[in-house]
Amino acid sequence: LLMTPPYSSSLLFIGVTACSLIASSAWSPAVSRPSSALYSTPPKPARDPICDAPGDPSMVLNLSVSLGDQKVPVMKAISSVMSSTLGKPESYVAVYVNDGQSMIWGGEETACAVGCMYSLEGINQENNGKIQKAVSELLKPHGVEDDRIYINYFDIARENCGWSSRTFAG
């Protein structure tokens, strides 16, 4: 906090004094407030049902190739694989494919894909491998070889995932 005199020294003194009192045993919240029902700990609110919702599996996939009229069918197939592999309702799954992008792999312009998948739980070696294999099989007919696909998998904490005007933590 930058202030010009004459205020800075008096505010600094007040701040230091208040911090000193709080840190010392001279000030105690139990002594300075009356014992009353008004100051009791409020009851915890009921747990929000969203806390138990299956969560948000989503995938963002960038491709150097254009999928043309096969874009939506490929997205639907990815959505189905994510739902069945993670054991989550497909109504929660989101897939975004950004095709026809300028991309390079190994310093060369070639057919490739780079993506990220996010989920509340369910991110593990077995599930990631199943999804990676399925995406590779779906992209191969479009000229993207399986050794030209990177997908990063992220297990998201419930408080770090928002949906329906709140987070999955409630």
Side-chain angles (χ1 to χ4, degrees):
L1 177 65
L2 295 174
M3 300 188 79
T4 57
Y7 305 108
S8 60
S9 61
S10 60
L11 286 175
L12 179 61
F13 174 75
I14 292 169
V16 170
T17 304
C19 291
S20 300
L21 282 174
I22 291 169
S24 75
S25 60
W27 182 83
S28 168
V31 174
S32 63
R33 67 178 184 184
S35 66
S36 160
L38 294 175
Y39 294 98
S40 65
T41 305
K44 290 188 176 184
R47 185 172 166 89
D48 190 324
I50 196 171
C51 297
D52 300 317
D56 162 64
S58 62
M59 181 177 288
V60 177
L61 194 58
N62 296 289
L63 305 171
S64 64
V65 298
S66 176
L67 298 178
D69 62 354
Q70 291 302 301
K71 185 174 183 173
V72 172
V74 166
M75 290 170 42
K76 286 183 176 186
I78 292 171
S79 177
S80 178
V81 166
M82 288 171 59
S83 173
S84 64
T85 302
L86 298 172
K88 298 185 179 191
E90 194 165 5
S91 61
Y92 276 60
V93 177
V95 177
Y96 174 74
V97 172
N98 194 17
D99 61 342
Q101 298 302 297
S102 297
M103 299 171 68
I104 62 168
W105 187 286
E108 297 178 19
E109 190 175 352
T110 185
C112 59
V114 177
C116 297
M117 191 183 113
Y118 307 90
S119 182
L120 304 176
E121 304 167 349
I123 298 294
N124 57 52
Q125 184 175 354
E126 182 181 350
N127 289 347
N128 299 355
K130 287 178 183 178
I131 293 168
Q132 186 76 31
K133 182 177 180 176
V135 170
S136 295
E137 290 171 357
L138 287 165
L139 296 182
K140 193 170 193 100
H142 301 282
V144 182
E145 296 297 324
D146 61 355
D147 65 347
R148 295 283 191 255
I149 302 170
Y150 277 147
I151 301 174
N152 295 302
Y153 297 86
F154 297 95
D155 192 351
I156 305 299
R158 295 184 95 67
E159 63 270 15
N160 294 333
C161 185
W163 174 74
S164 192
S165 301
R166 58 191 185 270
T167 70
F168 279 93

